[in-house]
Amino acid sequence: MADSDTRERLEPRPVTEETVLTVDDDHFVPESVCLVTGGASGIGRAIALAMAANGLTAVATDVDEDGLAETSDMAADMDARGGVKTVVGDLTDDGDIERIVETASGHGDLRYLANVAGMQHIDAIEDFPMEQYDRMHDVMLRAPLHLAKLTLPHVRATDDGVGAVGNMASVHGHYVTADKVGYNVSKFGLRGLTQSIAAEGDGDLRSFSVSTGYVKTPLVTGQIPDTAEQRGLTVDEVIDDVMLGQSRVKEMMDPVDVANLFVFGFSKHARHLNGGDLPFDGGMTLTYE
Ligand code: NAD
């Protein structure tokens, strides 16, 4: 079990005025809507708060109703220029996906979509439950496509057609670790979806992906004990040797660091980022010992 020093290492920096990147952009106004999946926790929550801090109306969606309520309370406490609305929904349900986009577009001009919801499952290929594989594929690959399919017409219907789809990929969309086949395949696919949207956008409607190493969220802290058991390591060894071993930056990212990449990616400063990936992994996939 993690001791207090370990817990401190895993405690994320909160999303505040000081930690959020703010960008002066004519589209970053309350009339512009940014739909964010996975908005009840971790990275999705941080993106919803960061977009609200930038003056937009963020619509956070998730299956976790209590988590969404917390995100909404946090936005209210931040006294953001924009705000966070919430809509509960399950991304494995097509009817829910339609309702989520309809709700988001009811709050203003739906211009931005952040596909963030995800999950992890650790098992060797021979033991990987197909049901779990299908579920991961549904949430992390099929839903992002379906949400994009329904969002693009709203972007095209705005006065200038400016908007973007940002997809939360991972280092696991570039190279892989053992026993994560469902995750690896979904993240490689998500980069393909990103490029496909860029190919069909007209330049004003863009797409990009973000690939990070390990970020301090429940998805990561939840898998540490399993990895420790599977590899016969302590919790700190998993953090230092498995998660950060190949990274040159010996510290996990905070959710707000990732949210800031989405703020940049959605902004006018990223108008030439189209189909591309932002690999912010501390050198993990690009260096070799
Ligand atoms: P998290 O567990 O904190 O949040 C994931 C959210 O997705 C949860 O709130 C969960 O309820 C939601 N979700 C899961 N299934 C859903 C469904 N069927 N319908 C609706 N919502 C559902 O995890 P996180 O770390 O914030 O991860 C967010 C994304 O970032 C994931 O796609 C993950 O793969 C990616 N990512 C995370 C890390 C990391 O180190 N944490 C690194 C790279 C990429």
Side-chain angles (χ1 to χ4, degrees):
M1 206 48 219
D3 63 22
S4 62
D5 285 349
T6 307
R7 268 196 294 274
E8 217 164 272
R9 294 180 71 188
L10 295 172
E11 188 61 40
R13 266 189 313 147
V15 182
T16 62
E17 242 174 67
E18 289 72 42
T19 58
V20 165
L21 171 71
T22 43
V23 173
D24 187 15
D25 187 312
D26 289 348
H27 291 102
F28 283 14
V29 289
E31 294 72 42
S32 293
V33 172
C34 177
L35 174 58
V36 185
T37 72
S41 176
I43 295 166
R45 167 180 285 165
I47 294 171
L49 294 174
M51 293 311 280
N54 272 276
L56 290 96
T57 299
V59 176
T61 186
D62 207 290
V63 270
D64 174 1
E65 191 170 355
D66 294 343
L68 283 180
E70 265 178 58
T71 304
S72 170
D73 290 347
M74 287 165 117
D77 288 347
M78 276 174 72
D79 203 14
R81 273 198 301 126
V84 172
K85 308 280 184 198
T86 61
V87 50
V88 180
D90 186 338
L91 295 179
T92 63
D93 183 316
D94 282 356
D96 279 12
I97 288 178
E98 285 165 20
R99 184 174 48 78
I100 288 165
V101 175
E102 211 176 289
T103 307
S105 63
H107 287 296
D109 293 338
L110 178 54
R111 290 184 184 272
Y112 307 103
L113 165 65
N115 282 309
V116 185
M119 73 243 310
Q120 184 57 275
H121 182 90
I122 298 175
D123 250 325
I125 291 174
E126 291 98 315
D127 303 321
F128 212 91
M130 290 314 292
E131 228 175 67
Q132 185 62 19
Y133 181 88
D134 288 344
R135 190 172 171 77
M136 295 177 86
H137 193 281
D138 282 350
V139 173
M140 297 201 282
L141 199 47
R142 189 176 182 281
L145 165 64
H146 197 176
L147 288 163
K149 176 186 155 104
L150 298 175
T151 297
L152 297 193
H154 289 285
V155 181
R156 295 194 205 276
T158 58
D159 53 353
D160 56 9
V162 169
V165 177
N167 293 318
M168 187 61 203
S170 166
V171 289
H172 293 91
H174 293 263
Y175 73 173
V176 307
T177 40
D179 304 334
K180 292 184 180 173
V181 67
Y183 195 82
N184 298 333
V185 173
S186 296
K187 295 305 187 187
F188 269 74
L190 197 54
R191 292 183 57 218
L193 173 62
T194 306
Q195 292 178 226
S196 303
I197 296 169
E200 295 185 27
D202 50 14
D204 286 326
L205 197 172
R206 297 179 294 108
S207 185
F208 64 93
S209 60
V210 171
S211 291
T212 68
Y214 292 92
V215 185
K216 298 172 202 164
T217 73
L219 182 140
V220 161
T221 43
Q223 70 184 274
I224 290 175
D226 273 358
T227 308
E229 196 184 316
Q230 240 156 11
R231 302 194 184 204
L233 300 172
T234 66
V235 163
D236 275 316
E237 283 168 343
V238 171
I239 298 172
D240 291 324
D241 302 340
V242 181
M243 296 183 161
L244 296 175
Q246 233 175 288
S247 176
R248 303 300 143 193
V249 182
K250 297 298 175 194
E251 190 196 331
M252 280 193 209
M253 278 178 98
D254 289 297
V256 67
D257 297 328
V258 187
N260 288 340
L261 298 175
F262 277 80
V263 170
F264 166 73
F266 286 138
S267 79
K268 64 182 181 187
H269 300 295
R271 67 187 180 282
H272 293 283
L273 174 66
N274 202 0
D277 183 60
L278 298 174
F280 273 57
D281 65 357
M284 211 171 174
T285 54
L286 297 171
T287 63
Y288 194 82
E289 275 176 346

